[in-house]
């Protein structure tokens, strides 16, 4: 089955499934994820049953083979309950499943894709040495040609899902240019650093990874070197839009929390929702969610039609993450002092939004992508 | 009279001394207390030895007798390195000691001020209740007369220093039928009074070294000697205290904003020395310039407010009638600077995160803690929505 157009029924169906999963299974353990900085294995098993690890993988290798629009809606819906889990799955789909499905050799697909699509294995791509995807001019991770094999050495500061990853798909200097090389976690010379805890997205642990003369067969190279930039662009446009989707889910969560609180909370003998200042804040959040949805739908449809969406997805990441930062903060302020204490989840929502804005390239760097064609 | 926006040589020296002390003694300990969510007793003792806990208390009661400008400098420097420490000191000096100085009897001053000023006793202030947040006058805690005493019943929430305090200025309704002006009375509660206990301690997004607790009053008998100000005049005690509290919150935010700017500059210089290009990016330069403009404006605003506050408190202390115009000007000014400068600080910190990227949101970085701390300044002592309401209603001549 190869879905080229998204049907609304398919999207509605997956959203219903995720809503049910979120309300019944994620909501009760949200604070556990926060406290332990870990997503429980029971949740991850369920995610596998639902086919969420391999949404963008082909059915030939046990993938769900949904189109990109459906994937984006699924990430958004899941982010309402757990942005950390949504980010984990977004990276799995974009940084390994989609990458190998599109650019892997048959041997690589047969070797890795079934396990990646079902979540038995986790894969992640390491692009810029500094954790960005744009800073690739000075890659100091080197792959030396040693006949049949490559010897990889270098440091990558920030690997998403790195703590649980089995495959690192590493951008290296391969002599004449750049290339992606698959390195397994157990490979000699792989050194995984301490988890980097960020202010938000707790439970989604990134790590620094170092490689010291890691020997891998040349067959671990992904795609032809001339395709490397295409692979990078595919990761960029998909992950930027993915971050936009997760941030939209975060905004939806902020809005529902603020609506609930402002209807329940009474001051001056009436619910605070009856004050225009509160109504305006909620209206602004709701308006920004609509703007985000329109953007996500348009750009993911373009991607399903195989159009180049690099600039549009950069715009989506910039505008949606900045809206999410602003709106989650307003939702916290609606809660007054209660917004600052851990009894209410809104303080977590704010931390998640700030983190999403800060990862996957700075918005200033993305603005340079957007304005590029204006320069004669 | 000319506009003189400058510090005296003594004030400049005071700032240098404060900065040297807190950067060497306090700053290195802060991330530990933030992580453990623990009250920094050791730091409090050290700060008390410097005389900070009685900075504005007249010398005859054991204080340093320094001006509101000095107090501002202290809170600005503390706010730069840690909002929790600034809040601990602000609740003690600004919210507990100040109303005792302004409204206390000579006996009360002699009894409470020396131990508070030395920092041997910590002070606190409790107005907020579950149902009385923004609607601060809607107090449900009652004070029922019983002979010369009052019996307090009810609870307070979000009380800074509440579990550490020896003395707490508490507001309760002595007669709900009279409304806020006439029906609320201020009391000085002592920790060991029967019927008083500390309830839940809040877990918070930030400000984690400062404790925020619930206070419970169950038939707590308070003798008449502990009534602060006149019976029924408690709401004015609260409002006059908060007029000053808000200016000092603003000055703490000013410190946080300046610190975020300094950390951004440090980061960019470091980046440049490592061959990076960030300093030459106009997107970065413009952001930095925006923060610098707002910090510059905030500084004048805060210290101008503190100068007016000094005059305002002198009039209150002298027991003369406070001219309506002066009260309105101080009240509006403090609302303006609290709301404005807290938002300036939040923007400065958001900018620092944009500049630092991943490093700025990683556990253990100063700016990550600053980010979590920053929100409270837009909330406590009246949310910025309440400040906007005060400013607008005062401008339009609408009653509050």
């Amino acid at each position: 089955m190869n879905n080229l157009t998204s049907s609304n029924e398919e999207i509605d169906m997956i959203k219903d499934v995720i809503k049910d999963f979120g309300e019944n299974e994620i909501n009760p353990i949200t604070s556990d994820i926060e406290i332990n900085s870990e997503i429980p294995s029971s949740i991850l098993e369920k995610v596998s049953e639902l086919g969420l690890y391999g949404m963008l993988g082909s059915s030939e290798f046990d993938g769900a083979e949904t189109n990109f629009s459906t994937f984006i809606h699924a990430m958004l819906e899941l982010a309402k309950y757990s942005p950390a889990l949504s980010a984990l799955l977004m990276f799995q789909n974009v940084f390994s499943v989609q990458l190998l499905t599109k650019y892997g050799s048959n041997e690589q697909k047969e070797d890795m894709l079934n396990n990646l699509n079902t979540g038995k294995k986790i894969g992640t791509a390491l692009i810029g040495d500094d954790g960005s995807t744009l800073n690739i001019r000075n890659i100091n991770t080197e792959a030396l040609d040693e006949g049949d094999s490559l010897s990889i050495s270098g440091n990558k500061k920030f690997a998403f899902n790195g703590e649980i990853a089995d495959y690192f798909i590493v951008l290296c200097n391969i002599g004449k240019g750049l290339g992606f090389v698959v390195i397994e976690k157990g490979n000699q010379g792989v050194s995984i650093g301490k988890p980097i805890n960020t202010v938000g997205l707790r439970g989604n642990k990134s790590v620094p990874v170092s490689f010291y003369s890691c020997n891998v067969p040349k067959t671990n190279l992904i795609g032809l070197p001339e395709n490397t930039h295409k692979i990078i662009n595919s990761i960029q446009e998909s992950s930027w839009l993915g971050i936009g989707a997760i941030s939209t889910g975060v905004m939806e969560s902020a809005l529902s929390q603020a609506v609930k609180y402002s209807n329940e909370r009474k001051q001056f003998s009436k619910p605070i929702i009856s004050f225009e200042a509160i109504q305006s804040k909620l209206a602004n959040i709701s308006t920004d969610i609509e703007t985000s949805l329109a953007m996500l739908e348009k750009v993911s449809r373009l991607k399903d039609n195989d159009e180049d969406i690099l600039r549009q997805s950069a715009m989506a990441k910039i505008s949606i993450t900045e809206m999410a930062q602003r709106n989650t903060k307003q939702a916290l302020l609606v809660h007054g002092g209660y917004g600052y204490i851990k009894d209410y989840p809104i303080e977590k929502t704010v931390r998640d939004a700030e983190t999403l804005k800060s990862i996957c390239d700075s918005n200033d760097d993305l603005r340079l992508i957007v304005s590029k064609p204006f320069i004669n | 009279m000319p506009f003189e926006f400058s510090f005296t040589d003594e004030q400049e020296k005071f700032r240098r001394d404060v900065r040297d002390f807190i950067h060497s003694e306090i700053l290195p300990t802060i991330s530990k207390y933030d992580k453990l969510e623990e009250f920094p007793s050791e730091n409090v003792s050290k700060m008390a030895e410097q005389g900070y806990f009685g900075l504005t208390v007249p010398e005859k009661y054991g204080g340093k007798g320094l001006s509101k400008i000095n107090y501002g400098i202290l809170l600005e420097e503390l706010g730069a390195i840690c909002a929790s420490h600034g809040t601990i000191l602000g609740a003690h000096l600004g919210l507990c000691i100040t109303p005792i100085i302004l409204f206390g009897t000579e006996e009360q001053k002699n009894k409470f001020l020396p131990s508070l000023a030395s920092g041997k006793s910590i002070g606190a202030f409790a107005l907020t209740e579950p149902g009385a947040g923004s609607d601060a006058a809607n107090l449900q805690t009652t004070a029922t007369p019983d002979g010369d005493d009052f019996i307090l019943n009810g609870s307070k929430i979000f009380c800074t220093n509440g579990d550490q305090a020896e003395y707490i200025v508490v507001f309760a309704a002595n007669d709900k039928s009279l409304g806020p002006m006439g029906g609320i009375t201020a009391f000085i509660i002592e920790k060991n009074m029967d019927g008083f206990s500390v309830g839940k301690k809040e877990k918070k997004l930030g400000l984690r070294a400062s404790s925020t607790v619930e206070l419970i009053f169950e038939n707590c008998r308070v003798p008449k000697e502990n009534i602060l100000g006149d019976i029924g005049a408690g709401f004015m005690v609260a409002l006059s205290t908060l007029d000053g509290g808000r200016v000092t919150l603003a000055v703490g935010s000013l410190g946080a904003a300046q610190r975020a700017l300094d950390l951004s500059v440090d980061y960019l210089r470091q980046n440049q020395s490592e061959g990076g290009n960030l300093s030459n990016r106009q997107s970065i330069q413009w952001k930095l310039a925006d923060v610098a403009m707002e910090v510059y404006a905030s500084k004048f605003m805060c210290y101008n407010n503190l100068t007016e506050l000094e005059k305002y408190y002198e009039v209150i202390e002298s027991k003369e009638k406070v001219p309506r115009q002066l009260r309105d000007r101080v009240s509006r000014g403090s609302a303006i600077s609290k709301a404005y400068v807290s938002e300036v600080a939040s923007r400065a910190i958001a900018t620092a995160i944009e500049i630092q990227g991943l490093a700025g949101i990683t556990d253990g970085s100063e700016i990550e803690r600053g980010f979590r701390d920053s929100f409270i300044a837009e909330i406590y002592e009246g949310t910025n929505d309440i400040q906007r309401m005060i400013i607008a209603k005062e401008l339009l001549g609408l009653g509050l």
Side-chain angles (χ1 to χ4, degrees):
Chain A
M1 189 176 73
N2 192 5
N3 292 327
L4 278 178
T5 55
S6 88
S7 72
N8 285 332
E9 292 92 66
E10 184 184 62
I11 290 174
D12 288 346
M13 197 182 73
I14 190 120
K15 280 168 76 172
D16 282 346
V17 168
I18 292 174
K19 183 167 186 252
D20 189 54
F21 173 51
E23 284 177 358
N24 296 317
E25 305 194 41
I26 301 177
N27 276 351
I29 54 119
T30 317
S31 66
D32 295 351
I33 297 179
E34 273 291 303
I35 293 163
N36 306 326
S37 277
E38 196 169 303
I39 296 164
S41 54
S42 58
I43 293 287
L44 295 177
E45 279 161 27
K46 186 69 197 253
V47 163
S48 175
E49 283 169 33
L50 295 175
L52 299 175
Y53 280 110
M55 289 191 78
L56 299 177
S58 60
S59 53
E60 191 187 343
F61 298 102
D62 297 335
E65 203 168 333
T66 64
N67 60 23
F68 204 77
S69 301
T70 307
F71 168 66
I72 283 296
H73 276 283
M75 294 301 105
L76 187 161
E77 189 66 28
L78 192 57
K80 293 181 192 171
Y81 306 97
S82 173
L85 178 59
S86 186
L88 186 157
L89 293 168
M90 193 277 284
F91 288 123
Q92 170 81 346
N93 273 278
V94 172
F95 281 24
S96 70
V97 167
Q98 179 182 250
L99 190 159
L100 284 165
T101 304
K102 276 174 96 168
Y103 300 100
S105 67
N106 285 335
E107 291 74 28
Q108 287 165 342
K109 289 182 187 177
E110 275 166 23
D111 190 30
M112 292 183 276
L113 265 179
N114 292 80
N115 283 335
L116 288 169
N117 282 328
T118 53
K120 288 197 187 75
K121 302 266 184 185
I122 300 294
T124 188
L126 295 82
I127 306 173
D129 291 350
D130 59 355
S132 72
T133 72
L134 283 168
N135 191 7
I136 55 167
R137 285 222 186 107
N138 303 304
I139 298 287
N140 288 318
T141 307
E142 304 284 341
L144 294 180
D145 194 332
E146 298 192 335
D148 289 343
S149 66
L150 296 166
S151 173
I152 320 289
S153 292
N155 300 305
K156 298 283 184 184
K157 271 192 184 165
F158 207 89
F160 295 104
N161 289 351
E163 201 197 18
I164 52 168
D166 301 284
Y167 301 117
F168 296 105
I169 304 172
V170 184
L171 186 66
C172 308
N173 261 320
I174 50 166
K176 281 170 286 183
L178 297 171
F180 281 101
V181 180
V182 182
I183 304 175
E184 290 192 40
K185 172 177 74 173
N187 205 308
Q188 207 167 14
V190 176
S191 165
I192 298 169
K194 271 196 200 148
I196 301 164
N197 283 315
T198 47
V199 71
L201 294 183
R202 294 278 180 173
N204 187 293
K205 274 190 209 152
S206 305
V207 291
V209 189
S210 300
F211 306 98
Y212 304 97
S213 307
C214 278
N215 253 291
V216 296
K218 266 190 178 162
T219 48
N220 283 24
L221 265 172
I222 294 181
L224 301 165
E226 53 265 38
N227 276 338
T228 299
H229 283 276
K230 245 179 156 173
I231 300 178
I232 294 171
N233 285 349
S234 157
I235 289 175
Q236 287 168 334
E237 62 184 29
S238 304
S239 59
W240 294 338
L241 207 59
I243 294 291
I246 299 169
S247 300
T248 307
V250 166
M251 267 194 279
E252 295 228 23
S253 162
L255 178 62
S256 63
Q257 291 176 60
V259 167
K260 182 168 184 283
Y261 183 83
S262 55
N263 276 283
E264 286 169 4
R265 173 68 172 167
K266 282 189 180 151
Q267 285 287 268
F268 305 99
S269 313
K270 50 189 177 182
I272 61 170
I273 186 74
S274 52
F275 291 95
E276 188 186 355
I278 301 290
Q279 291 170 19
S280 295
K281 285 186 210 289
L282 301 187
N284 288 340
I285 305 175
S286 190
T287 303
D288 283 347
I289 290 170
E290 283 302 303
T291 309
S292 305
L293 285 171
M295 233 174 167
L296 291 174
E297 276 173 16
K298 179 187 164 183
V299 184
S300 49
R301 202 162 50 237
L302 289 174
K303 182 160 172 74
D304 280 326
N305 292 332
D306 277 333
E307 293 187 41
D308 173 13
I309 59 157
L310 196 70
R311 282 183 71 244
Q312 281 87 349
S313 61
M315 292 183 213
K317 198 250 167 180
I318 296 167
S319 70
I320 300 175
T321 56
E322 290 176 7
M323 286 191 266
Q325 179 195 39
R326 184 170 70 232
N327 289 319
T328 53
K329 175 170 177 174
Q330 289 305 317
L332 184 149
L333 294 177
V334 164
H335 287 67
Y338 291 100
Y340 204 64
I341 61 174
K342 300 251 169 189
D343 296 7
Y344 287 80
I346 191 67
E347 61 86 25
K348 169 188 174 295
T349 308
V350 163
R351 290 187 284 110
D352 287 336
E354 188 69 29
T355 306
L356 287 161
K357 176 171 170 252
S358 306
I359 61 175
C360 291
D361 301 297
S362 83
N363 287 357
D364 285 327
D365 287 347
L366 295 185
R367 287 186 166 89
L368 298 179
I369 303 288
V370 176
S371 55
K372 211 171 182 180
F374 304 143
I375 304 163
N376 283 329
Chain B
M1 202 178 91
F3 280 91
E4 274 190 58
F5 287 125
S6 60
F7 296 106
T8 64
D9 290 345
E10 286 92 315
Q11 286 162 349
E12 293 286 8
K13 181 178 185 305
F14 177 73
R15 183 187 291 279
R16 282 194 302 275
D17 292 345
V18 167
R19 186 174 297 183
D20 286 348
F21 168 74
I22 63 176
H23 278 247
S24 64
E25 298 291 322
I26 310 290
L27 183 58
T29 69
I30 285 170
S31 83
K32 176 186 84 181
Y33 289 114
D34 173 67
K35 200 167 190 172
L36 299 174
E37 244 176 318
E38 190 182 296
F39 188 81
S41 300
E42 226 174 288
N43 289 345
V44 165
S45 303
K46 286 183 185 171
M47 284 157 60
E49 278 167 30
Q50 299 292 313
Y52 296 170
F53 278 73
L55 197 81
T56 53
V57 175
E59 284 165 292
K60 64 172 169 172
Y61 303 115
K64 286 262 185 192
L66 292 176
S67 72
K68 290 284 180 288
I69 301 296
N70 290 82
Y71 181 40
I73 291 169
L74 175 59
L75 283 182
E76 184 189 344
E77 293 297 326
L78 273 178
I81 60 146
C82 178
S84 293
H85 285 68
T87 298
I88 291 167
L89 188 75
H92 167 90
L93 192 46
L95 300 185
C96 179
I97 287 180
T98 296
I100 295 175
I101 293 176
L102 295 181
F103 300 99
T105 62
E106 201 50 40
E107 292 72 31
Q108 288 171 336
K109 290 180 191 177
N110 283 320
K111 178 175 177 191
F112 299 113
L113 289 180
S115 76
L116 284 167
S118 69
K120 284 195 191 78
S121 302
I122 300 293
F125 173 96
L127 177 64
T128 301
E129 297 181 1
S134 290
D135 187 4
N138 183 35
L139 298 185
Q140 301 302 314
T141 298
T142 54
T144 313
D146 184 57
D148 276 351
D149 303 341
F150 278 87
I151 310 290
L152 264 61
N153 277 291
S155 68
K156 297 284 173 183
I157 54 166
F158 301 158
C159 177
T160 298
N161 295 349
D163 57 343
Q164 305 292 328
E166 191 70 34
Y167 306 119
I168 309 175
V169 174
V170 173
F171 300 86
N174 57 291
D175 186 344
K176 282 189 192 168
S177 70
L178 294 175
M181 297 304 176
I184 292 175
T185 302
F187 300 91
I188 302 169
I189 299 297
E190 303 179 34
K191 185 173 86 177
N192 297 326
M193 285 176 166
D194 286 341
F196 166 70
S197 61
V198 173
K200 181 186 172 207
K201 183 180 174 196
E202 303 294 352
K203 287 197 166 295
K204 308 188 294 296
L205 168 60
L207 213 66
R208 290 159 57 95
S210 145
S211 63
T212 308
V213 299
E214 177 189 26
L215 307 179
I216 300 162
F217 301 93
E218 287 168 308
N219 293 321
C220 176
R221 178 175 293 273
V222 185
K224 70 167 193 284
E225 294 80 18
N226 286 43
I227 297 169
L228 183 60
D230 295 334
I231 294 171
F235 205 56
M236 280 314 286
V237 173
L239 292 182
S240 310
T241 305
L242 291 171
D243 282 337
R246 282 194 281 266
V247 185
T248 52
L249 286 187
V251 92
S253 293
L254 169 64
Q258 179 68 55
R259 180 72 177 173
L261 182 60
D262 293 346
L263 289 173
S264 294
V265 169
D266 289 350
Y267 183 86
L268 291 169
R269 290 213 171 119
Q270 178 71 24
N271 174 268
Q272 195 170 30
S273 73
E274 289 165 359
N277 189 38
L278 288 175
S279 300
N280 296 322
R281 294 269 298 268
Q282 290 185 329
S283 57
I284 305 284
Q285 291 175 357
W286 265 233
K287 276 192 232 288
L288 214 55
D290 285 345
V291 173
M293 291 179 212
E294 295 192 330
V295 168
Y296 188 69
S298 299
K299 191 150 193 162
F300 290 121
M301 188 185 276
C302 285
Y303 284 95
N304 186 45
N305 276 167
L306 284 165
T307 310
E308 295 206 319
L309 183 72
E310 185 109 60
K311 288 181 227 155
Y312 173 60
Y313 277 179
E314 275 166 17
V315 178
I316 295 177
E317 213 183 322
S318 71
K319 311 287 177 205
E320 282 169 35
K321 189 171 164 27
V322 182
R324 172 76 195 271
Q325 263 189 326
L326 176 64
R327 183 184 295 283
D328 285 353
R329 198 169 66 238
V330 170
S331 211
R332 176 169 30 134
S334 68
I336 287 175
S337 40
K338 189 270 186 185
Y340 179 74
V341 187
S342 61
E343 291 170 16
V344 165
S346 294
R347 283 193 288 272
I349 288 162
T351 298
I353 293 177
E354 284 175 5
I355 289 172
Q356 297 193 10
L358 291 168
I361 56 161
T362 301
D363 276 12
S365 88
E366 190 175 336
I367 212 69
E368 186 269 346
R369 176 170 51 79
F371 168 72
R372 287 184 289 102
D373 284 348
S374 66
F375 294 84
I376 195 61
E378 298 187 45
I379 296 169
Y380 62 2
E381 291 194 34
T383 67
N384 287 3
D385 278 328
I386 290 296
Q387 308 305 334
R388 286 184 164 85
M389 189 181 83
I390 292 171
I391 297 161
K393 284 190 170 177
E394 205 269 321
L395 282 169
L396 295 166
L398 304 169
L400 289 183

